[in-house]
């Protein structure tokens, strides 16, 4: 499977034709907000008025991805999101209380469903092809990607648009902070990994990819394989899963030029990666990314965007390097991420 194009809206300058993370943005706080583009280039202003932020971000990223690939009509549209359109959900629930369950305006309810982003993209494109949304918590994007791979292998669709979307609302941020997911005092995102404490920083974003099964020099990278596993028993079990994943693709850890990990600054979360750093990953070049986009259930989509560009551009941005990078132009990249040590994901990419 090949990644033909990708577009990302994140807390960094990643959208459109911009330098590759040469001007990283520093934030001080416990939450990163996406840098939104000028939507009038992608959405009719009259339509945009009725769209929440996540719908506009998803539509813009999808349209830019299709434009970069030179594709007008995708063979399928598949998205992954854990929490869906939170802004519309909160708005609808608030109005239920305020209006005492009477005369409720339907717009917020209609747009609060998780599949709204994929549906809106299809409506704008007049696309009647396969359309699906996966809501699988920490592996929502990975599930969407797996569905796309199966469609391609079965020959049911080609030129498949796959995306991961997530937004952070004030309400959700307060609740998740109380649950201990985020740090309780402000800090620089550039100092995230130097602060050994509980919690991380919140994030959001919308990242889309166009997948096909046609080799081309214009493709960004080859998506060789992907795998998920749930609640491993121990760090040794995680090592076995990674080694088996590589062995299935006739590789060992020595064949990997760069490993992108999901470190997020949380003491408990990063203990898994640090254990691997002292064993399986000890002699490997490593990178991280969550100080740029924040932590959210579909952040793996940002990692895939990063890996695709690293391979295509033949460079590893200094801002993501975790120590010395031995091969400055990686050809084989492994991504390993876990969400709350329950949902574990692996992706293997290679140069075309």
């Amino acid at each position: 499977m090949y990644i033909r194009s990708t577009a990302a809206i994140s807390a960094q300058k990643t959208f459109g034709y911009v330098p590759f993370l040469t001007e990283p943005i520093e934030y001080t706080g416990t939450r990163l907000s996406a840098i939104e583009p000028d939507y009038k280039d992608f959405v009719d202003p009259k339509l945009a008025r009725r769209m929440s932020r996540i719908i506009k971000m998803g539509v813009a990223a999808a349209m830019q991805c299709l434009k970069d690939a030179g594709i007008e009509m995708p063979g399928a549209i598949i998205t992954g999101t854990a929490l869906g359109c939170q802004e519309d959900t909160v708005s609808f629930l608030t109005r239920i209380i305020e209006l005492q369950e009477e005369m409720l305006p339907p717009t917020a309810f209609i747009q609060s469903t998780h599949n709204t982003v994929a549906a809106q993209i299809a409506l704008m494109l007049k696309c009647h092809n396969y359309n699906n949304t996966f809501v699988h918590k920490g592996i929502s994007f990975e599930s969407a990607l797996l569905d796309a791979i199966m469609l391609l292998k079965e020959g049911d669709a080609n030129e498949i648009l796959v995306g991961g979307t997530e937004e952070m609302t004030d309400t959700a941020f307060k609740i998740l902070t109380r649950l201990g997911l985020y740090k309780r005092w402000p800090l620089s995102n550039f100092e995230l990994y130097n602060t050994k404490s509980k919690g991380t920083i919140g994030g959001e974003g919308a990242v889309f990819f166009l997948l096909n099964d046609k080799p081309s020099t214009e493709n960004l990278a080859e998506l060789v394989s992907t795998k998920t596993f749930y609640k491993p028993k121990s760090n040794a079990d995680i090592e076995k899963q990674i080694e088996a994943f590589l062995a299935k693709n006739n590789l060992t850890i020595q064949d990997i030029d760069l490993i992108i990990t999901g470190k997020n600054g949380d003491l408990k979360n990063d203990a898994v990666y640090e254990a691997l750093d002292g064993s399986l990953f000890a002699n490997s070049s490593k990178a991280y990314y969550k100080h740029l986009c924040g932590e959210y259930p579909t952040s793996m989509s940002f990692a895939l965007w990063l890996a695709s560009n690293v391979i295509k551009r033949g460079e590893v941005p200094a801002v993501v390097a975790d120590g010395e990078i031995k091969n400055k132009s990686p050809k084989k990249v492994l991504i390993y991420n876990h969400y709350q040590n329950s949902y574990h994901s692996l992706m293997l990419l290679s140069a075309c």
Side-chain angles (χ1 to χ4, degrees):
M1 304 303 112
Y2 299 94
I3 298 174
R4 178 67 184 84
S5 65
T6 179
I9 294 176
S10 71
Q12 301 296 323
K13 297 176 183 177
T14 54
F15 189 73
Y17 308 108
V18 294
F20 184 35
L21 297 176
T22 55
E23 300 175 358
I25 297 175
E26 183 175 10
Y27 295 84
T28 300
T30 55
R31 172 181 172 185
L32 307 185
S33 296
I35 300 172
E36 298 179 63
D38 187 351
Y39 292 120
K40 72 174 184 291
D41 295 333
F42 307 95
V43 186
D44 186 316
K46 293 190 292 294
L47 284 175
R49 283 191 308 159
R50 291 182 175 270
M51 293 182 182
S52 63
R53 288 178 65 245
I54 190 61
I55 298 174
K56 288 187 284 188
M57 285 197 294
V59 167
M63 295 303 178
Q64 183 66 48
C65 183
L66 290 171
K67 180 182 177 182
D68 291 347
I71 300 294
E72 293 184 2
M73 186 65 67
I77 300 170
I78 311 173
T79 61
T81 178
L83 300 174
C85 303
Q86 296 180 58
E87 186 180 317
D88 285 310
T89 302
V90 171
S91 175
F92 179 68
L93 294 174
T94 302
R95 286 172 184 172
I96 286 178
I97 298 168
E98 291 176 347
L99 301 177
Q100 299 180 343
E101 303 182 23
E102 295 180 0
M103 300 298 290
L104 294 170
T107 304
F109 173 71
I110 293 167
Q111 295 188 343
S112 67
T113 55
H114 288 67
N115 66 333
T116 304
V117 174
Q120 189 64 61
I121 295 167
L123 285 169
M124 292 182 66
L125 293 173
K126 294 182 173 58
C127 177
H128 302 284
N129 297 326
Y130 181 92
N131 192 299
N132 207 353
T133 296
F134 287 84
V135 187
H136 291 176
K137 294 186 178 179
I139 53 168
S140 298
F141 171 70
E142 293 87 332
S143 300
L145 198 63
L146 184 60
D147 190 31
I149 291 170
M150 289 192 293
L151 283 174
L152 284 169
K153 287 188 174 181
E154 292 165 2
D156 291 337
N158 202 4
E159 309 295 355
I160 300 177
L161 187 65
V162 185
T165 62
E166 218 71 67
E167 69 176 332
M168 180 66 72
T169 62
D170 293 340
T171 303
F173 180 71
K174 288 175 183 176
I175 293 171
L176 295 175
T177 300
R178 287 177 184 172
L179 293 174
L181 266 69
Y182 305 130
K183 297 188 186 297
R184 291 182 177 269
W185 61 88
L187 77 161
S188 166
N189 58 318
F190 292 165
E191 293 297 319
L192 182 63
Y193 304 113
N194 299 325
T195 308
K196 304 292 182 181
S197 61
K198 183 180 179 180
T200 180
I201 53 176
E204 62 181 5
V207 187
F208 274 79
F209 304 86
L210 193 81
L211 302 184
N212 62 34
D213 56 1
K214 303 184 185 77
S216 169
T217 55
E218 294 184 351
N219 291 334
L220 300 182
E222 179 184 1
L223 180 60
V224 179
S225 186
T226 182
K227 177 182 181 179
T228 61
F229 52 100
Y230 182 67
K231 286 188 176 179
K233 296 177 181 178
S234 64
N235 289 333
D237 189 21
I238 294 172
E239 281 193 40
K240 289 179 182 177
Q241 291 277 6
I242 296 172
E243 289 176 327
F245 175 71
L246 293 174
K248 187 178 178 181
N249 292 285
N250 301 313
L251 297 171
T252 65
I253 199 67
Q254 286 74 31
D255 297 316
I256 303 300
D257 298 319
L258 181 69
I259 300 172
I260 300 175
T261 68
K263 287 183 180 179
N264 69 3
D266 177 76
L267 205 59
K268 188 176 180 180
N269 180 88
D270 289 355
V272 174
Y273 302 110
E274 288 170 3
L276 289 168
D277 287 346
S279 56
L280 187 63
F281 295 169
N283 299 313
S284 302
S285 297
K286 294 177 285 291
Y288 37 43
Y289 65 95
K290 288 183 181 174
H291 61 305
L292 300 178
C293 67
E295 175 68 286
Y296 56 98
T298 56
S299 69
M300 194 69 162
S301 58
F302 185 89
L304 184 59
W305 171 88
L306 174 63
S308 303
N309 279 281
V310 162
I311 290 174
K312 183 63 176 178
R313 296 170 186 257
E315 60 177 304
V316 181
V319 72
V320 302
D322 183 6
E324 182 188 0
I325 303 295
K326 297 172 184 176
N327 188 338
K328 304 297 182 182
S329 182
K331 302 299 182 187
K332 282 187 169 53
V333 177
L334 175 69
I335 309 172
Y336 168 57
N337 178 57
H338 73 80
Y339 187 69
Q340 298 181 7
N341 203 14
S342 294
Y343 307 92
H344 294 246
S345 309
L346 292 164
M347 290 184 192
L348 179 63
L349 284 85
S350 177
C352 298

